[in-house]
């Protein structure tokens, strides 16, 4: 029954409808043709650049080989700029997951990887990082083509961080060790850290390569083998990375990559009896369900009913962005703009609940509107573009419905609210004001900037915490006392003060409440998520040498 329920939850789709037809009702009304020019719609409508990279890897990677799905099925991966097919990709299902798990189990039980010295494992990971840099242009192009994020973002930020994360975890490989424990009596007691076994992982579509590093890096550093189910929206870069790992010398069967859908491939991985650990961090249409707390509960049930495998979940957020009256308003507006619209608004920690002190609210809204009108939307391969398309038609329709609901509830549409062009999934950056508090509690990836005002500190703390999520938060103030008080009061795993989206390989990330149940990156991932701890006690006689027969 649980498997049927997860299938139902994952199969939900959004109805299609025509582009949103209303005009702005903001402080300074303007017509649609003026909006078209100011939002750079002409840029989005120009001829689309075809990237020069070749799509060479579209099959499942199982036991060191690229293979077709057992069923022979494929599915199209779509260019979000046009809605057209980039390539047909192998559609894995339960049979392929079972095949991949068997390969990973054999590689763990019989292969060289878990028995290899930590130093040798680190050398392979470092070679992979070198190859990432060598092939950075191809990886960035594939990421942009398949996902819609800007090429500049992929090439200058995400691909370098991919390499850095793997170098970081490679450095941890030979520095993880147990303890010698003092105990009463004539006993030598120590703890051993051992790889957990076969790690099942499900990745998102919003940051495919970065989340590949967050999941695969620490698992490999600790000596585990992996079955990775990738998002059906963005399969291309994971397969390319898998090819680079083979080139770096990763033994066969250590990393297995399966593309497919949640109700089939995803649910099979969750409930597989021979998977020892699950790590899930995905987006709306993938299987680890940013925002889908009901599905998260079903995941835990499937894992428990199979073999009690431990599960790490990141279930999204609805992050508050709080601007106090003494804040640098210009800086706060720019960072609030970035916090919401970064990655087309498709970010689990996006600052989607903006609270502004009543004394500076009107100024903030006017400047936020002006900044949104300047945002350049178009083909993400072109220079100067700040925002590409939404990931697919489902996400596009979800954002448009979100905008429509705001207008229907009498919120003030300051700017935006329309589709850009007639091809692909481009949406104008949208700013609302005068939005009721109850309208902003649902987690959503959105291109809608929705500031609301507050009067006193206690009020904004209460409102910021009035959600079942607790992934991240931003606080903007010149007062150290206010920053300390509010940061400690916010129920969020990460709090940024006078900054936002500050990430580093050594900084842990994870949420409170329904945003998840653990931490990723930094030392926490390797030791807490991908290792077992064993106690070894040996009775000794004082004054005698302990001998072990090998």
């Amino acid at each position: 029954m649980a498997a049927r329920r997860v299938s139902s939850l994952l199969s939900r789709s959004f109805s299609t409808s025509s582009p949103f037809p209303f005009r702005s009702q903001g402080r300074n009304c303007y017509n649609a043709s003026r909006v078209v020019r100011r939002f750079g719609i002409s840029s989005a409508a120009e001829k689309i650049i075809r990237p020069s990279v070749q799509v060479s890897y579209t099959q499942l990677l199982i036991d060191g080989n690229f293979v077709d799905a057992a069923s022979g099925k494929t599915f199209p991966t779509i260019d979000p700029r046009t809605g057209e097919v980039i390539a047909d990709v192998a559609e894995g299902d339960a049979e392929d997951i079972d095949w991949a798990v068997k390969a990973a189990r054999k590689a763990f039980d019989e292969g060289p990887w878990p028995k290899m010295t930590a130093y040798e494992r680190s050398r392979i990971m470092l070679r992979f990082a070198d190859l990432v840099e060598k092939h950075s242009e191809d990886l960035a192009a594939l990421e942009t083509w398949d996902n819609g994020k800007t090429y500049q973002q992929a090439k200058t930020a995400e691909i370098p961080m991919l390499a850095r994360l793997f170098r970081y975890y490679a450095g941890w490989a030979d520095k993880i060790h147990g303890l010698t424990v003092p105990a009463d009596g004539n006993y030598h007691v120590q703890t051993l850290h051992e790889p957990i076994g076969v790690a099942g992982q499900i990745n998102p579509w919003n940051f495919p390569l970065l989340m590949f590093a967050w999941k695969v890096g620490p698992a490999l550093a600790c000596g585990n083998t992996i079955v990775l189910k990738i998002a059906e929206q963005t399969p291309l870069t994971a397969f390319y990375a898998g090819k680079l790992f083979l080139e770096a010398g990763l033994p066969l069967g250590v990393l297995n990559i399966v593309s497919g859908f949640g109700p089939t491939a995803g649910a099979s991985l969750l409930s597989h009896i021979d998977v020892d650990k699950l790590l899930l961090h995905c987006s709306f249409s993938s299987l680890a369900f940013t925002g889908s707390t009901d599905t998260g509960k079903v995941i835990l049930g499937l894992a428990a009913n199979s073999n009690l495998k431990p599960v790490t979940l990141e279930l999204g957020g609805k992050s508050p962005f709080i601007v106090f009256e003494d804040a640098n308003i210009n800086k706060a507006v720019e960072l609030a703009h970035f916090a919401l619209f970064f990655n087309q608004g498709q970010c689990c920690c996006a600052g989607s609940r903006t609270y502004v002190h009543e004394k500076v609210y009107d100024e903030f809204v006017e400047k936020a509107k002006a900044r949104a009108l300047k945002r350049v939307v178009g083909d993400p391969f072109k220079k100067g573009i700040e925002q590409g398309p939404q990931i697919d038609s489902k996400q596009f329709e979800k954002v448009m419905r979100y905008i429509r609901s705001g207008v229907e509830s009498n919120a003030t549409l300051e700017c935006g609210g329309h589709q850009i062009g007639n091809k692909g999934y481009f949406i104008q950056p949208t700013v609302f004001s005068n939005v009721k508090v109850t309208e902003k509690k649902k987690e959503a990836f959105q291109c809608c900037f929705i500031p609301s005002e507050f009067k006193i500190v206690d009020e904004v703390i209460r409102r910021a915490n009035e959600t079942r999520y607790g992934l991240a938060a931003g606080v903007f103030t010149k007062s150290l006392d206010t920053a300390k008080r509010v940061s400690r009061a916010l129920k969020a795993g990460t709090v940024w003060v006078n900054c936002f989206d500050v990430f580093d390989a050594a900084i842990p990330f994870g949420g409170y409440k329904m945003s998840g149940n653990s931490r990723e990156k930094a030392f926490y991932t390797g030791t807490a998520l991908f290792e077992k701890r064993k106690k070894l006690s040996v009775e000794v006689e004082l004054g005698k040498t302990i001998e072990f027969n090998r």
Side-chain angles (χ1 to χ4, degrees):
M1 182 173 293
R4 289 197 298 272
R5 187 179 171 208
V6 77
S7 176
S8 174
L9 285 166
L10 297 178
S11 298
R12 293 174 182 168
S13 61
F14 306 107
S15 61
T16 58
S17 61
S18 60
F20 198 34
F22 58 79
R23 291 186 178 185
S24 167
Q25 302 298 317
R27 290 173 170 80
N28 302 305
C29 293
Y30 46 87
N31 60 42
S33 61
R34 180 180 170 200
V35 176
V36 166
R37 291 192 298 272
R38 295 191 68 178
F39 276 107
I41 296 178
S42 60
S43 177
E46 291 174 2
K47 184 178 179 180
I48 295 295
I49 295 175
R50 179 178 176 83
S52 59
V53 63
Q54 297 297 312
V55 179
S56 302
Y57 306 99
T58 59
Q59 296 171 292
L60 313 180
L61 177 58
I62 299 178
D63 204 15
N65 297 294
F66 285 99
V67 296
D68 292 331
S71 66
K73 292 182 180 179
T74 62
F75 67 90
T77 185
I78 303 298
D79 182 348
R81 303 173 302 161
T82 63
E84 298 172 355
V85 176
I86 299 173
D88 290 315
V89 177
E91 182 183 334
D93 56 23
E95 185 175 356
D96 302 288
I97 289 292
D98 187 59
W99 182 14
V101 172
K102 287 179 179 177
R105 173 57 59 194
K106 182 178 180 181
F108 184 79
D109 290 344
E110 304 175 20
W113 185 249
K115 304 176 184 66
M116 191 180 294
T117 67
Y119 174 66
E120 287 300 319
R121 288 201 302 270
S122 72
R123 291 184 64 190
I124 291 174
M125 296 175 68
L126 291 171
R127 283 198 293 270
F128 170 76
D130 292 341
L131 289 169
V132 165
E133 291 181 336
K134 179 180 178 180
H135 297 272
S136 62
E137 292 185 0
D138 284 352
L139 285 167
L142 286 173
E143 194 83 328
T144 295
W145 196 3
D146 213 13
N147 175 275
K149 66 180 67 212
T150 67
Y151 180 79
Q152 181 182 13
Q153 176 183 325
K155 179 67 167 63
T156 64
E158 297 188 11
I159 303 305
M161 181 55 72
L162 171 68
R164 181 178 175 184
L165 282 162
F166 272 98
R167 290 193 175 108
Y168 175 84
Y169 288 121
W172 268 115
D174 59 358
K175 299 172 184 66
I176 300 171
H177 51 76
L179 300 170
T180 300
V181 182
D184 293 342
N186 297 330
Y187 301 99
H188 170 80
V189 181
Q190 67 184 87
T191 59
L192 304 176
H193 289 204
E194 299 179 335
I196 202 166
V198 177
Q201 303 179 343
I202 301 180
N203 253 17
W205 49 256
N206 55 344
F207 295 97
L209 281 175
L210 286 182
M211 296 304 102
F212 179 92
W214 285 26
K215 308 298 180 293
V216 173
L220 291 182
C222 294
N224 298 280
T225 59
I226 299 167
V227 177
L228 174 66
K229 188 271 179 192
I230 52 179
E232 62 270 23
Q233 295 88 344
T234 53
L236 299 181
T237 49
F239 287 136
Y240 197 108
K243 173 257 184 186
L244 295 183
F245 254 123
L246 294 177
E247 188 176 337
L250 191 70
L252 304 184
V254 172
L255 175 61
N256 305 274
I257 303 174
V258 178
S259 52
F261 296 93
T264 50
S268 298
L269 183 60
L270 291 173
S271 57
H272 202 288
I273 195 71
D274 215 20
V275 172
D276 300 306
K277 164 74 183 182
L278 289 171
L279 184 62
L280 307 138
H281 177 156
C282 296
S283 328
F284 273 99
S285 301
S286 293
L287 189 59
F289 325 112
T290 298
S292 183
T293 54
D294 290 338
T295 308
K297 295 174 184 177
V298 174
I299 293 171
L300 293 173
L302 289 172
N305 290 333
S306 55
N307 59 350
L308 285 176
K309 61 175 70 67
V311 181
T312 296
L313 293 168
E314 196 275 273
L315 296 172
K318 192 70 178 168
S319 301
F321 187 105
I322 304 171
V323 181
F324 287 92
E325 61 181 306
D326 65 339
N328 181 324
I329 296 301
N330 291 332
K331 180 180 178 181
V333 166
E334 185 62 33
L335 282 172
H337 180 89
F338 171 77
L340 190 281
F341 292 113
F342 173 62
N343 206 51
Q344 293 66 250
Q346 299 167 154
C347 186
C348 57
C349 58
S352 53
R353 291 188 299 144
T354 304
Y355 299 103
V356 183
H357 194 276
E358 61 180 1
K359 291 184 179 180
V360 294
Y361 179 78
D362 289 340
E363 178 188 1
F364 185 93
V365 170
E366 286 298 332
K367 290 183 175 181
K369 172 183 172 180
R371 178 63 181 89
L373 286 168
K374 293 178 181 177
R375 188 169 182 83
V376 184
V377 184
D379 183 349
F381 278 102
K382 296 181 179 180
K383 291 183 179 180
I385 295 297
E386 295 179 275
Q387 180 172 313
Q390 304 303 118
I391 183 69
D392 59 15
S393 60
K394 293 180 180 179
Q395 181 61 20
F396 171 85
E397 294 297 340
K398 188 177 185 73
V399 174
M400 297 307 287
R401 285 201 309 274
Y402 196 88
I403 295 172
R404 183 161 51 243
S405 70
V407 172
E408 291 173 350
S409 61
N410 296 319
T412 301
L413 178 65
E414 297 288 344
C415 65
H418 297 265
Q419 180 180 5
I420 297 179
N422 55 13
K423 289 184 69 175
Y425 311 119
F426 298 91
I427 298 177
Q428 293 173 348
T430 300
V431 177
F432 278 103
S433 62
N434 302 317
V435 178
K436 296 178 182 178
V437 175
T438 55
E439 294 163 8
K440 301 182 297 177
K441 291 184 179 178
K442 290 186 178 180
E443 203 274 352
F445 287 170
Q446 60 193 51
C447 283
C448 308
F449 190 36
I450 311 173
S452 60
E453 59 184 288
F454 70 92
K455 294 182 179 180
I456 61 175
V457 175
D458 288 341
E459 173 201 353
V460 77
I461 290 172
R462 174 183 57 79
R463 291 170 63 184
N465 287 331
E466 274 185 342
T467 173
R468 58 183 176 175
Y469 300 104
L471 189 58
V475 178
F476 286 79
T477 177
K478 294 177 182 177
S479 169
L480 180 59
D481 289 341
T482 300
K484 290 173 64 177
R485 175 186 173 187
V486 177
S487 297
R488 289 183 176 274
L490 292 174
K491 295 180 174 64
T494 294
V495 178
W496 291 294
V497 178
N498 296 330
C499 58
F500 206 87
D501 275 350
V502 177
F503 291 97
D504 187 87
I507 300 175
F509 184 79
Y512 287 8
K513 299 187 285 187
M514 297 299 288
S515 283
N517 59 3
S518 191
R519 296 292 180 271
E520 295 184 84
K521 299 194 301 172
F523 180 66
Y524 296 87
T525 309
T527 58
L529 303 186
F530 291 110
E531 288 189 326
K532 298 178 291 188
R533 290 166 177 79
K534 178 186 290 182
K535 182 196 72 174
L536 175 63
S537 299
V538 180
E539 184 177 14
V540 298
E541 284 189 57
L542 296 180
K544 291 191 176 182
T545 301
I546 304 174
E547 295 184 0
F548 294 100
N549 294 323
R550 295 190 177 184

